[in-house]
Amino acid sequence: MIKINENFLELQDSYLFATISRKVAEFTKENPNCKVIKLGIGDVTRPIPEAVLDAMHKATDEMGRKEDFRGYGPEQGYDFLREKIRDNDFKTRGVDIDIDEIFISDGAKCDCGNIVDIFAQDNKVAITDPVYPVYLDTNVMSGRSGKYDSKTGKYENIVYIPVTSENDFVPEFPKEKVDMIYLCYPNNPTGTTLNKEQLKKWVDYAKENKAIILFDAAYEAFISDEDVPHSIYEIEGAKEVAIEFRSFSKTAGFTGLRCAFIVIPKELNGYTEKGEKVQLNKLWNRRHCTKFNGVSYVTQRAAEAVYSEEGKKQIKENINYYKENAKIIKKGLEEAGYTVYGGTNSPYVWLKLPDGIKSWDFFDKLLKEANVVGTPGVGFGPSGEGYFRLTGFGTKENTEEAIERIKNMK
Ligand code: MLT
């Protein structure tokens, strides 16, 4: 008899964005003449920058020539890309990262999900609440969550750290001891940030508690405030306690191309049951080589072009375009009388719903009355109830139209 991994039975409903897609598909089928504007999932709409496209074309041609053809590449990624990452993403910020601490992959979602493989099942996991659902779901799948309590909307073994307007979206240290701490900054979904001093406290906390910080920096390209770190490694001591996830998706429009990377410093250790230190970089390398055969050469050449002078310029234009959209959303919603957060160092605008309105009810109302899709806050966790997320990743025209429609809603 083939037995299943019963942890999967602990998962709630379907994946958040799959539920939204299903609801939108149903609505569109029933209302074929409505022009639905999607500001739900954080998916980019600007075409791939020209410098990146040129590099892809060139690499594609190489693959068709006998003398240039390449088969399997290194699982960890080509050095030409890892060197560019080291020099541009870290050296420029005063951070020394070796290329063998960088692992190229096909997405930060996969990396965030796969990383749980290298940690023991009885580690205590802490997530901020609301949170990007992948951190939680993958720990449910791997058996760290315990049972779900439908009354609280929480899993019994997960430590939830609320980040709401009540604490200015600054996570407080958990009362009980935790081992794995997920932090995402600039934050998805709230669009808020931590400054260096605030992040330093978490690094110190992790050091004191021999915990690890799983730091998702997928939205770092949207930072404009000086005091907001782009990488956790800008904080002294972070290399001993943190893994960082980065993505080309939101930075350079790679949601359809797929390329990301993870940084695991060699100073970073985990422990065996007996308390012996083990380098996490080694464990991850072993896992990566076994389960992954590398990102395609063409895609890695495309990612390399992100760091060329032209590439940097074109990418900046796209980021500014999305940031401008976020500004339009923020300003428009404020004019309509809503309280909003985020949207400055982030493509996400986090909207506080008027008292008593539930996130999913607002989702339905917005879809029905304004034909606009957003993401219900509660989909990111119980502390997201009463909030709603809109993204700046749409086109400018659609963003403006969506805001006008929301303003005119009764
Ligand atoms: C989001 O909308 O939260 C993200 O785009 C989802 C993702 O990156 O997987």
Side-chain angles (χ1 to χ4, degrees), residues 104-116:
I104 311 295
S105 77
D106 60 351
K109 182 181 188 175
C110 324
D111 284 338
C112 290
N114 291 331
I115 198 71
V116 296

Side-chain angles (χ1 to χ4, degrees), residues 274-288:
K274 289 188 193 139
E276 296 144 338
K277 281 185 182 174
V278 177
Q279 254 191 2
L280 295 182
N281 180 292
K282 270 196 185 148
L283 286 191
W284 182 253
N285 190 45
R286 185 69 178 83
R287 185 218 174 268
H288 203 63

Side-chain angles (χ1 to χ4, degrees), residues 118-402:
I118 64 170
F119 298 109
Q121 200 170 339
D122 58 359
N123 279 316
K124 195 84 179 168
V125 174
I127 53 167
T128 51
D129 172 25
V131 80
Y132 178 45
V134 173
Y135 316 146
L136 176 64
D137 283 2
T138 53
N139 277 294
V140 175
M141 290 172 184
S142 51
R144 280 183 204 93
S145 67
K147 295 272 171 228
Y148 182 72
D149 179 348
S150 57
K151 281 203 201 83
T152 59
K154 295 180 181 176
Y155 286 90
E156 61 181 351
N157 294 338
I158 301 286
V159 174
Y160 292 75
I161 307 173
V163 278
T164 62
S165 56
E166 270 108 72
N167 59 11
D168 274 336
F169 300 94
V170 178
E172 285 154 28
F173 298 121
K175 293 193 178 54
E176 58 188 294
K177 199 173 147 24
V178 296
D179 307 298
M180 293 162 64
I181 304 158
Y182 286 87
L183 294 179
C184 172
Y185 285 98
N187 187 253
N188 179 15
T190 65
T192 57
T193 51
L194 290 186
N195 62 30
K196 287 188 181 153
E197 200 186 313
Q198 289 164 330
L199 192 54
K200 168 95 172 67
K201 289 187 183 152
W202 278 96
V203 169
D204 293 345
Y205 173 91
K207 261 187 173 172
E208 272 157 37
N209 290 282
K210 287 198 169 140
I212 188 163
I213 297 176
L214 300 157
F215 191 75
D216 186 349
Y219 300 94
E220 63 77 33
F222 293 83
I223 295 172
S224 30
D225 288 355
E226 278 294 308
D227 194 30
V228 177
H230 288 247
S231 164
I232 194 166
Y233 304 121
E234 288 174 51
I235 311 295
E236 206 194 314
K239 279 187 184 176
E240 290 157 51
V241 292
I243 289 179
E244 183 161 301
F245 303 91
R246 289 283 190 107
S247 169
F248 291 97
S249 286
K250 323 289 158 132
T251 314
F254 274 50
T255 54
L257 271 183
R258 312 306 307 147
C259 196
F261 61 93
I262 183 171
V263 181
I264 311 191
K266 280 173 280 189
E267 291 97 314
L268 179 59
N269 293 302
Y271 299 87
T272 63
E273 203 63 56
K274 289 188 193 139
E276 296 144 338
K277 281 185 182 174
V278 177
Q279 254 191 2
L280 295 182
N281 180 292
K282 270 196 185 148
L283 286 191
W284 182 253
N285 190 45
R286 185 69 178 83
R287 185 218 174 268
H288 203 63
C289 291
T290 306
K291 293 197 177 182
F292 191 61
N293 250 341
V295 172
S296 77
Y297 172 69
V298 174
T299 304
Q300 292 193 61
R301 280 293 183 200
E304 182 194 23
V306 166
Y307 298 104
S308 66
E309 280 318 305
E310 269 310 291
K312 279 183 196 165
K313 215 173 105 222
Q314 293 163 6
I315 278 152
K316 190 85 202 135
E317 278 165 19
N318 284 354
I319 299 278
N320 287 342
Y321 177 95
Y322 297 132
K323 281 179 70 124
E324 188 55 36
N325 284 348
K327 219 173 174 181
I328 292 169
I329 298 173
K330 194 174 161 81
K331 188 165 166 277
L333 292 177
E334 276 166 355
E335 282 166 7
Y338 290 102
T339 305
V340 293
Y341 305 94
T344 308
N345 292 294
S346 162
Y348 295 128
V349 176
W350 190 239
L351 148 71
K352 178 127 181 56
L353 298 174
D355 272 354
I357 303 187
K358 299 239 181 237
S359 310
W360 276 112
D361 291 343
F362 189 75
F363 174 91
D364 291 333
K365 182 177 160 72
L366 200 63
L367 183 56
K368 203 166 144 227
E369 293 177 21
N371 306 149
V372 172
V373 182
T375 311
V378 73
F380 297 101
S383 295
E385 184 55 285
Y387 290 89
F388 200 79
R389 194 191 77 176
L390 291 172
T391 125
F393 284 121
T395 64
K396 183 168 187 225
E397 300 70 39
N398 279 348
T399 306
E400 285 172 338
E401 191 178 332

